[in-house]
Amino acid sequence: MSNSSHQSERAKARWSILRKALLKNDGRRRAVDSCEQIGNNTNMSDNKAASSSSSKEHSIHRFAGFQMLKRRTIPKEDLQNMLLLSEIDEKTKVAGSQDSIVVEYEMPLSPSNSPALSKITVRTLERETLGMKLSMKELMSHVHFGVDNTGNTRVWDCSNVLAFLVMGEKDVPPFIEALHQAHEFNYSTDMPFVGLKDVLSLATDTNMNGINERKLLRVLELGAGMAALPSLALAALDLKYRNKQETSVPRIHVTITDGHPNAVENNVSCSQLTQQLYECNNDTNGIRCHSLLWKANNIGKQECDEVMKNMSSSETMMLSNCVPFDLMLVSDCTHFSDFHADLAATIGRMLRINGICLLCQPRRSASLRKFIQVLDAMNEGEHEHGPLFQVDLHQKYSKEIYDRHRQLLNEKNDIYDATIHYPLLLVLKKLREYHEDQDTCKAISFVKMQMDPATITCIVPVKV
């Protein structure tokens, strides 16, 4: 099949997927299917099967993901807090979505990371995705809420992978010649920042009295979607150690953010479900959920400051009214290039100096490359304080995941496409203070120039 024919077939298949998502009423769908069959009543069952097969073949969801975490659905009768369950059911009805399910994820911990624990468990509220229909409002989410609805449709595999990398043991494959020969990226040969030991090393000493107290790790997840698995896992670790006299494991304060109000509301439910497991109901210290839209302007700066103020507690209030984060987590959020400057500015504002931001996402055509180019543009040029970020992109960050990746390339080429299914790990280390008048300006200018090369003038977004 020629490339143009393949593209035409893919376009038809994806229009078919969109039609099925829009036709929520089963009766209407059957009527439409019936009309189509009357127009072509030969080999109807074969055609229908072929259409279904074609839709699955061209859907991004044809590959189930690496599924690094043990996952099981919890029967509703097994849930302890029935009041919370009734609230969840009511939210589902109001949203007009499919029935929600409660899912439990289990993450093993190695003895070197946590001698007293063998695993961490979190619970999330998720939507059933099998045959899910979407309303026009959901499809037009970017118009109503300023952000797309993809985070509310499923728990994306990058979130699962990043949770595995954050909580697990560092197990990096040998640095041999890169598997991909396209030379699209300069992959780092440095040891990647992965594993719970690396994560906990970012905790800072907030004690001003000289007493041997536990350090504090401040974690922020951006674009968390419906479940926020990586940050929720770290919150669960904190809940497990909350009342233990174990100073080697820091306190962990987690802030979960998304731009979509439905995702924020769902993350509140996920936090409550996880707190139930550790008998820490209504804990307002360890986990916070906020709405945050990325904006490369003055309003965006103010909203970032508000989130950093809201995460302040009695342990951090003494430091500053506006406390940046030690660790930032981002899963599969670079796919829309229009928001690259906004995302880069948000990371620059909210990460502390020498803090780490982990971004786990596939290449998705040129989208990841374009985001890295925005970061490079912020680092380049004349700046009295030097580059903003140390940027390291890792292709081989986990032996288990990389070995599975190689196996899939060899055996599952009809389902697996590394461009959209294999997550790369982008590690950003903040090197200096963020300056709105220069850093945000560079990001905006570069994105505008990509969209329209004639547009090279930067308007300073913030007066300083």
Side-chain angles (χ1 to χ4, degrees), residues 105 110 134 146 180 206 272 282 362:
Y105 292 89
S110 70
L134 300 175
H180 298 301
T206 61
Q272 293 172 335
N282 302 317

Side-chain angles (χ1 to χ4, degrees), residues 385-434:
H385 303 291
L388 177 63
F389 293 116
Q390 176 182 317
V391 181
D392 291 299
L393 182 66
H394 298 275
Q395 183 191 36
K396 291 176 283 188
Y397 46 81
S398 163
K399 185 177 186 304
E400 184 176 353
I401 295 174
Y402 190 71
D403 287 349
R404 177 86 193 284
H405 166 61
R406 291 173 63 96
Q407 179 184 355
L408 287 163
L409 285 177
N410 293 330
E411 300 177 2
K412 301 287 186 181
N413 284 328
D414 55 332
I415 296 175
Y416 182 71
D417 180 353
T419 302
I420 58 177
H421 294 138
Y422 181 66
L424 300 175
L425 182 66
L426 179 61
V427 182
L428 307 182
K429 181 179 181 179
K430 186 174 174 180
L431 302 177
R432 58 166 173 80
E433 289 288 350
Y434 187 81

